[in-house]
Amino acid sequence: MAPRILKRPLFGPPQGFPISLGAKILTPVLLVFIITSVILYSLYLSRIREQELANLKNQLEVFASSKAAELSEPLWSFQEDVMESLMRSYRDNRDLHRIILYDDKGRELFREDGRDARPGHTLLTAERSLTRDVNGQTLNLGRLVVQYHTDRLMEDLGRRRYEDLMPVALLMAVVAAAGWLFLHIIVGRPLHRLKLSLRLNARSDERKPLVWKSRDELGEVVAEYNALLREVGQQTNRLMRNNAVLERQITQRKVAERQLAKAHDELEHIVAIRTMELREANLELVRLDNQRAAFLSSASHELRTPLAAVLGFSKLVRKAFSRHFAPHAEALGLGSRSDVILANLEVIAAEGDRLTRLINDLLDINKIEAGQMEWRDTRLNLADEIERAARTMAPQFENNNAVRLVTEVSGAVPSLLFDPDRMQQLLLNLLSNACKHTERGEIRIRATAAPGLVRIEVRDTGHGIRPADLELIFQKFYQSEDGDKGKPCGTGLGLPICRHIVEHYRGSITAASEVGSGSTFTVELPVGQD
């Protein structure tokens, strides 16, 4: 195989110059050059500004000293016209902002204003005392205050900055052009030759190596490229032989594939029919579930207004009856009727509160399932939350002396990132559920720390739960029978709400019970999650 040498033009525009590679190499260099130039030029301007400002300060000191000496004589002689003439003559100074002459008592005698300083410019101030020697004593005649502005200095610096930018920009353009030319000669042309060789070998069945005489890194790349061409040629011959074998196997498999395709089409038809039936059934279930959620939400909202009115008016009626009618009932012989009316009003209030809790539970479970619940997470101290829940439940235990509430919190329990309202809802639902099913004994709420989680246990000494009900009590509206009474107790929403809250925080809730010995509900919540 005869080697082939590619011709390349010595002059003219580059063909196929790798712009992206050139930009990657040239851009950092230019950025460093530009940043260095800007820094050095800024330091240079800062130095010039400091020198010019120092010169202006010296000029101010000299001017103030000379004018103080010049004004001492007419001030001593009370020559006001001379002092006024001298003060006016000072306005010819381009750097003057203001000059003020005071007498020995601090009263302003003359003031002359020069050019107003521009916003943001600096004012320099010098103050000199006007004195006169009389019989060996130095008398203070007054003082002279002179202010210079830096407008002329800033204008000179701005003009110098503008004049210096032109050669800097020209130098940067020359550097960029030289860098581009250097990259073109060193990198662009060799890569262009390599690209042409790759294109020709891709279009031809014959693999022709590229001749490269340099021994630099590009020469090593070309040597590896030629070795790759030889390896590709060998692999191509091997693949052609394997291809002939594969063609025979493919012919045999096509027959089997046609048979499989026929069976596959039949199976797909059956699956499509079943899928359509399942999709329609699923859509119907989704529609029914949406209607159920919409009905619950609408009904709950519609019930709140009349329920609030019933509760409000029942409390108002009970308050008015107790205040105005009950005290006179005994005198009229209606004491028993009065007690019955008050008891009935208490029943109305209690049942109204129970119905309010049921409506709130319905709204909460609906919001949670619809993903509309707002979670306001914050760092909670679990011991404080348990004590808060215990105080809330205290009135229920005060009415039942046969059951006592015990709280137990380990000192090593870490804080939790949790919604405070949802934490109270979780604890109160578990305690309320235990209180409903416990007639005597104790209810113990215990919090401990375990590796990576916090465990909360609520244990009661109630009737217990049947094994068949343990898997169902966390379902919506499921109500287990209340011990010997043989009837459901509660709304069937408290434990499902607890399960949703715990699962939202990637925890778990379980129940263990033995009939006649009580139940234990265990909540495990991971710690450290944000």
Side-chain angles (χ1 to χ4, degrees):
M1 181 180 298
R4 176 170 56 87
I5 300 177
L6 296 176
K7 295 182 180 181
R8 57 185 176 88
L10 297 177
F11 303 98
Q15 299 178 359
F17 178 73
I19 297 177
S20 60
L21 181 60
K24 291 178 182 178
I25 298 175
L26 188 60
T27 300
V29 177
L30 288 178
L31 286 177
V32 172
F33 178 76
I34 292 172
I35 294 173
T36 304
S37 300
V38 170
I39 293 174
L40 293 177
Y41 186 66
S42 299
L43 293 175
Y44 167 74
L45 286 180
S46 177
R47 181 64 177 172
I48 293 298
R49 184 180 182 279
E50 292 176 359
Q51 293 177 355
E52 293 294 336
L53 193 58
N55 293 335
L56 185 61
K57 289 181 180 179
N58 293 333
Q59 294 175 11
L60 174 61
E61 297 293 336
V62 172
F63 179 83
S65 299
S66 64
K67 300 313 173 187
E70 187 177 16
L71 291 169
S72 297
E73 182 62 29
L75 182 60
W76 170 258
S77 304
F78 298 103
Q79 299 175 0
E80 295 184 359
D81 54 344
V82 175
M83 288 188 290
E84 184 177 2
S85 176
L86 290 174
M87 292 289 287
R88 288 179 179 177
S89 66
Y90 300 154
R91 289 187 296 180
D92 296 334
N93 192 328
R94 294 176 55 192
D95 296 322
L96 181 66
H97 173 66
R98 181 177 292 115
I99 181 169
I100 307 174
L101 178 62
Y102 297 94
D103 61 7
D104 57 343
K105 295 182 180 180
R107 293 173 298 186
E108 181 179 320
L109 299 178
F110 295 97
R111 171 194 290 260
E112 291 294 335
D113 293 329
R115 179 180 175 185
D116 292 336
R118 296 180 180 177
H121 287 190
T122 306
L123 291 177
L124 305 178
T125 304
E127 184 175 337
R128 292 290 184 272
S129 298
L130 279 68
T131 61
R132 184 177 179 86
D133 294 333
V134 178
N135 298 326
Q137 295 183 354
T138 302
L139 299 179
N140 183 20
L141 304 179
R143 58 189 177 92
L144 182 67
V145 177
V146 183
Q147 288 185 332
Y148 270 17
H149 55 69
T150 59
D151 292 353
R152 185 174 58 83
L153 174 62
M154 293 296 105
E155 291 175 358
D156 293 342
L157 290 177
R159 191 184 313 100
R160 180 176 297 180
R161 185 184 300 110
Y162 177 76
E163 292 173 354
D164 292 343
L165 283 178
M166 296 301 295
V168 172
L170 180 60
L171 177 61
M172 292 174 59
V174 171
V175 170
W180 180 87
L181 182 61
F182 176 78
L183 287 176
H184 170 62
I185 295 174
I186 301 301
V187 179
R189 289 181 177 177
L191 291 180
H192 179 59
R193 291 184 59 194
L194 186 60
K195 184 182 71 174
L196 290 179
S197 178
L198 286 170
R199 185 180 299 170
L200 292 175
N201 286 319
R203 296 176 179 177
S204 175
D205 294 335
E206 184 180 0
R207 303 291 182 263
K208 296 181 180 181
L210 178 64
V211 176
W212 190 266
K213 297 181 180 180
S214 66
R215 297 182 179 180
D216 53 9
E217 287 82 358
L218 285 174
E220 295 178 358
V221 172
V222 171
E224 293 294 332
Y225 168 70
N226 292 333
L228 179 62
L229 287 181
R230 291 191 295 271
E231 181 66 23
V232 169
Q234 296 174 1
Q235 294 290 342
T236 301
N237 294 331
R238 190 179 299 111
L239 288 174
M240 292 178 65
R241 291 192 298 269
N242 293 335
N243 187 51
V245 176
L246 289 175
E247 285 182 353
R248 291 193 298 270
Q249 295 178 355
I250 290 173
T251 303
Q252 296 173 358
R253 296 185 63 177
K254 283 183 178 179
V255 177
E257 287 179 357
R258 284 193 292 269
Q259 297 175 354
L260 288 175
K262 183 178 180 181
H264 180 266
D265 293 340
E266 295 176 354
L267 181 59
E268 279 191 344
H269 180 68
I270 297 174
V271 170
I273 295 175
R274 296 294 183 267
T275 302
M276 184 178 298
E277 294 175 353
L278 291 175
R279 186 180 293 111
E280 292 176 354
N282 185 58
L283 291 175
E284 181 65 19
L285 290 175
V286 170
R287 185 182 64 82
L288 293 175
D289 187 68
N290 291 336
Q291 290 181 354
R292 186 269 311 167
F295 171 75
L296 288 178
S297 178
S298 176
S300 300
H301 284 289
E302 291 297 330
L303 286 174
R304 274 187 166 182
T305 300
L307 181 59
V310 170
L311 286 175
F313 282 113
S314 65
K315 292 178 180 179
L316 289 176
V317 170
R318 185 177 183 276
K319 183 177 181 180
F321 187 86
S322 300
R323 178 180 299 177
H324 301 291
F325 296 97
H328 305 287
E330 293 292 340
L332 298 175
L334 299 175
S336 60
R337 291 291 185 91
S338 175
D339 294 338
V340 170
I341 292 174
L342 289 175
N344 291 339
L345 290 174
E346 289 180 357
V347 170
I348 292 174
E351 293 302 316
D353 290 336
R354 189 169 72 89
L355 186 56
T356 300
R357 290 193 297 271
L358 174 60
I359 292 174
N360 291 335
D361 288 343
L362 285 172
L363 289 175
D364 287 342
I365 197 73
N366 194 37
K367 285 183 179 179
I368 292 174
E369 291 182 345
Q372 299 175 353
M373 178 65 74
E374 295 183 2
W375 305 89
R376 301 178 178 87
D377 295 345
T378 185
R379 283 288 172 187
L380 299 181
N381 186 315
L382 192 56
D384 295 342
E385 296 300 319
I386 291 178
E387 290 299 325
R388 178 183 169 191
R391 288 194 300 270
T392 304
M393 293 293 297
Q396 298 188 30
F397 290 96
E398 291 175 357
N399 297 330
N400 186 3
N401 296 327
V403 181
R404 65 189 184 98
L405 176 62
V406 180
T407 61
E408 180 182 350
V409 181
S410 173
V413 175
S415 61
L416 288 175
L417 187 64
F418 216 95
D419 186 326
D421 294 335
R422 302 287 80 79
M423 174 61 75
Q424 287 299 308
Q425 190 174 17
L426 171 64
L427 297 176
L428 292 176
N429 281 351
L430 292 176
L431 290 175
S432 177
N433 184 70
C435 184
K436 292 176 184 177
H437 295 85
T438 304
E439 296 181 355
R440 63 180 59 86
E442 73 172 19
I443 297 174
R444 180 179 296 270
I445 178 169
R446 180 170 178 262
T448 57
L453 55 86
V454 171
R455 182 178 293 111
I456 303 172
E457 294 181 355
V458 177
R459 181 174 301 173
D460 61 61
T461 57
H463 303 290
I465 304 172
R466 296 179 303 178
D469 293 338
L470 286 176
E471 299 297 329
L472 305 175
I473 56 176
F474 293 104
Q475 295 182 5
K476 290 186 300 183
F477 304 110
Y478 184 82
Q479 299 171 310
S480 60
E481 294 183 353
D482 187 10
D484 300 331
K485 297 179 181 179
K487 63 178 182 179
C489 180
T491 63
L493 291 175
L495 291 179
I497 291 176
C498 292
R499 185 195 65 182
H500 283 294
I501 293 174
V502 172
E503 289 179 351
H504 174 78
Y505 289 97
R506 300 179 182 177
S508 63
I509 180 170
T510 56
S513 179
E514 183 177 349
V515 177
S517 299
S519 305
T520 301
F521 288 84
T522 304
V523 176
E524 293 183 348
L525 297 170
V527 298
Q529 61 177 359
D530 293 330

